[in-house]
């Protein structure tokens, strides 16, 4: 560990020196670097598919749709808009003859941690705004996805000098050692529990933080919707990546009397999507990342069943995979209703009054995402105006994250700060307010504030109305 700490210090000091050069780079230079990164990612696509297959058994379709396309799309979006975002913005001044401007400057030295569930996307997506805003940074990939961590380091080393972007691989000991360094900004994706530690450590140096955390994202289904239409939207997001998605629907509320139909349709979706000749088709279903998490999910299932839950679909394990599962009769006392599920288990709950559902949601920490399905705008408004969440999608799930003009992030326990698009650029920037006063001039307001104050107070008092 002594050697690792020495290496961290060396890289940190190198970047400390170099940040001033990077800070002065133009939009064109930054875009050129991002495009170089894109070219390397495209060249490495087969290796990326292979690494994610090794780490998560992730189907190639899911790697391309949810890891690669997000990153490539964000690079192109930055390439099209960065120049404009970097321009100083002039704002009205209250000082006669002066000019007021907001000048955007990089935060400086940044640290980015990623989680293991989208180990490629969650490392590279925040790197784009970090580079776009002109920062130097150290990346710490998740040790739980080692093949992707290793490949990410190779890609970064090929595109960037260590003095600008460096990857430090390792486990919790390395992650903790990095927190001792006085970074200007820490961008963390991971669990709420570790997020708290990050924020505490950041407090020592008063570093700003972005915390992209998790939580239990609820789905509310109004009675007047076409279940056949909406069930595939919910089920595809729940079982993609084996439910290991921060924004995955955690549990669903359906109107009393509609549960049976809802469960039947989810069962049909599972049958169509994940079975061939009654056998689980493991090529389209990701693995659970490791034994510890598989055991955690097994434990959640056992506990729920012991407290009265009925397994309607799935519940079995094969080759490190948990079958897509549906539960009913789940007690609120069960652990599965206390913690983020983060796996392919869908509790289907029932309600009679929407107000009860709203109360139940408000009794928990604010979730990262909230989803309401209804054709009735009043129902949508009732839910949105009486709850809070990082973001929300109406009549679908997860998709608000894919909108480049919407901020993506949590609120309180599901996170602090936001990114993607201009929101990421701002997150990695310091907005510096600069007032340009004329060096010489006849500004009566200026001399008014000079001592002696005699005779001036009355004039000042007239301004307090
Ligand atoms: P985690 O908190 O265990 O680990 C995340 C990162 O933190 C890893 O790089 C790890 O090495 C590092 N880390 C672990 N312990 C640390 C410590 N004591 N000090 C400093 N760093 C430490 O999270 P995870 O298990 O990788 O990810 C799952 C969680 O992430 C879920 O809760 C999920 O909802 C959340 N998540 C959120 C988003 C989002 O965008 N909001 C995206 C993906 C995952």
């Amino acid at each position: 560990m002594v050697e690792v700490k020495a290496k961290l210090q060396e890289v940190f000091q190198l970047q400390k020196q170099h940040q001033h050069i990077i800070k002065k780079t133009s939009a064109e230079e930054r875009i050129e670097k991002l495009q170089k990164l894109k070219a390397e990612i495209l060249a490495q696509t087969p290796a990326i598919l292979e690494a994610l297959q090794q780490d998560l058994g992730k189907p190639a379709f899911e790697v391309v749709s949810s890891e690669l396309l997000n990153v490539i799309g964000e690079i192109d979006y930055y390439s099209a808009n960065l120049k404009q975002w970097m321009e100083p913005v002039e704002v009205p001044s209250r000082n006669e003859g002066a000019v007021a401007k907001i000048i955007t400057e990089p935060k400086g030295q940044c640290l980015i941690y990623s989680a293991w569930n989208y180990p490629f996307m969650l490392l590279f997506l925040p790197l784009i705004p970090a580079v776009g805003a002109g920062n130097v940074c150290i990346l710490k990939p998740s040790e739980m996805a080692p093949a992707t961590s290793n490949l990410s380091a190779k890609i970064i080393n090929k595109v960037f000098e260590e003095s600008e972007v460096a990857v430090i691989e390792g486990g919790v000991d390395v992650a903790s050692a990095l927190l001792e360094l006085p970074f200007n900004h820490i961008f963390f994706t991971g669990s709420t529990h570790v997020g708290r530690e990050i924020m505490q450590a950041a407090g020592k140096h008063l570093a700003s933080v972005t915390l992209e955390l998790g939580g239990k994202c609820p789905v509310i289904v109004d009675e007047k919707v076409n279940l056949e239409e909406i069930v595939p939207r919910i089920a595809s997001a729940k079982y993609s990546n084996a439910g290991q998605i921060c924004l995955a629907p955690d549990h669903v509320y359906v109107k009393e009397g509609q549960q049976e139909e809802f469960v039947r349709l989810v069962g049909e979706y599972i049958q169509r999507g994940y079975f061939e000749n009654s056998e689980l088709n493991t090529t389209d279903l990701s693995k659970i990342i490791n034994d510890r998490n598989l055991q955690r999910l097994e434990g959640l299932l056992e506990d729920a069943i012991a407290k009265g839950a009925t397994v309607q679909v799935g519940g079995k394990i094969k080759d490190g995979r948990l079958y897509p599962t549906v539960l009913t009769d789940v007690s609120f006392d069960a652990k599965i209703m206390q913690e983020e599920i983060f796996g392919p288990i869908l509790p289907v709950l029932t309600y009679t009054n929407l107000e009860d559902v709203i109360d139940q949601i408000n009794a928990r920490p604010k979730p990262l995402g909230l989803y309401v399905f209804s054709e009735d705008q009043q129902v949508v408004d009732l839910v949105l105006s009486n709850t809070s969440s990082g973001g929300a999608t109406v009549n679908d799930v997860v998709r608000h994250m894919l909108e480049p003009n919407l901020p993506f992030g949590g609120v309180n326990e599901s996170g602090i700060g936001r990114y993607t698009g201009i929101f990421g650029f701002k997150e990695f920037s310091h907005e510096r307010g600069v007032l340009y006063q004329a060096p010489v001039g006849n500004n009566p307001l200026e001399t008014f504030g000079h001592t002696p104050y005699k005779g001036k107070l009355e004039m000042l008092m007239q301004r307090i109305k």
Side-chain angles (χ1 to χ4, degrees), residues 101-118:
K101 283 187 183 175
I102 300 168
I103 295 184
T104 301
E105 59 181 32
K107 288 221 165 144
Q109 290 188 267
C110 299
L111 171 61
I112 297 175
Y113 290 99
S114 83
W116 52 261
N117 57 330
Y118 286 89

Side-chain angles (χ1 to χ4, degrees), residues 392-410:
T393 299
V394 176
N395 290 321
D396 210 333
V397 296
V398 181
R399 291 195 166 268
H400 62 279
M401 192 216 165
L402 305 173
E403 273 297 331
N405 293 317
L406 289 179
F408 172 65

Side-chain angles (χ1 to χ4, degrees), residues 67-78:
E67 305 239 22
L68 283 175
L69 282 177
N70 279 350
V71 172
I72 300 297
E74 188 77 345
I75 290 178
D76 288 340
Y77 193 65
Y78 265 69

Side-chain angles (χ1 to χ4, degrees), residues 132-392:
N135 296 280
V136 293
C137 52
I138 293 181
L139 307 181
K140 161 57 188 81
S142 171
E143 69 281 14
M144 280 160 74
T148 312
S149 168
N150 211 258
L151 179 61
S152 302
K154 283 191 191 131
I155 293 173
I156 296 294
N157 291 340
K158 185 117 188 253
V159 176
F160 295 97
E161 295 293 329
E162 198 175 50
S163 55
E164 183 174 1
V165 182
V167 177
I168 303 285
E169 292 187 87
V172 175
D173 49 350
V174 173
S176 303
L178 278 164
L179 283 180
E180 290 169 21
L181 299 168
F183 285 95
N184 300 107
H185 187 77
I186 304 176
F187 187 106
F188 171 82
T189 304
S191 59
T192 301
H193 157 72
V194 178
R196 282 202 179 88
E197 291 187 34
I198 301 287
M199 195 159 173
Q200 220 164 21
K204 271 191 233 149
H205 308 291
L206 292 178
S208 50
V209 290
T210 309
L211 303 176
E212 296 286 343
L213 312 177
K216 288 182 84 62
C217 305
V219 183
I220 305 167
V221 179
D222 182 28
E223 62 189 314
K224 286 174 257 145
V225 291
N226 181 335
L227 290 182
E228 293 205 6
E229 289 280 337
I230 67 139
V231 161
R233 296 183 193 181
I234 298 170
S236 58
K238 179 68 192 184
Y239 302 118
S240 167
N241 207 31
Q244 300 165 117
I245 309 178
C246 56
L247 278 171
D250 185 272
H251 52 283
V252 181
Y253 290 95
V254 297
K255 192 81 195 250
E256 191 90 19
Q258 291 190 319
Q259 189 188 51
E260 202 178 313
E261 173 71 349
F262 187 91
V263 169
R264 184 183 67 76
L265 289 167
V266 179
E268 280 179 15
Y269 178 89
I270 292 170
Q271 196 60 37
R272 265 198 319 276
Y274 294 103
F275 284 85
E276 246 176 54
N277 305 324
S278 314
E279 282 292 309
L280 185 72
N281 172 10
T282 52
T283 49
D284 283 352
L285 180 65
S286 292
K287 288 190 290 199
I288 302 303
I289 184 75
N290 55 24
D291 282 347
R292 189 161 58 83
N293 270 280
L294 195 56
Q295 281 160 19
R296 181 184 66 81
L297 289 165
E298 261 189 296
L300 289 183
L301 260 182
E302 282 166 13
D303 175 73
I305 293 165
K307 290 177 176 141
T310 309
V311 179
Q312 297 285 356
V313 183
K316 289 195 276 179
I317 287 171
K318 180 183 173 185
D319 299 339
R321 287 164 171 86
L322 177 56
Y323 282 50
T325 298
V326 182
L327 297 182
T328 55
D329 313 308
V330 181
S331 160
F332 278 93
D333 296 333
K335 281 190 208 138
I336 205 161
M337 290 310 296
Q338 316 287 328
E339 62 180 75
E340 181 184 10
I341 300 174
F342 219 57
I345 310 172
L346 183 66
V348 180
L349 316 170
T350 57
Y351 69 92
T352 40
N353 291 318
L354 259 184
E355 284 74 11
D356 294 341
V357 176
I358 288 169
D359 286 348
Q360 283 164 17
I361 290 171
N362 288 337
R364 298 179 190 289
K366 295 173 186 172
L368 183 61
L370 181 146
Y371 312 117
V372 52
F373 287 81
S374 179
E375 289 176 16
D376 184 343
Q377 191 58 38
Q378 281 185 340
V379 169
V380 173
D381 290 345
L382 180 81
V383 172
L384 291 182
S385 62
N386 286 290
T387 57
S388 178
S389 62

Side-chain angles (χ1 to χ4, degrees), residues 36-47:
K36 195 172 162 199
L37 175 64
K38 174 179 164 179
E40 187 57 22
I41 290 171
L42 292 179
Q44 293 290 339
T45 296

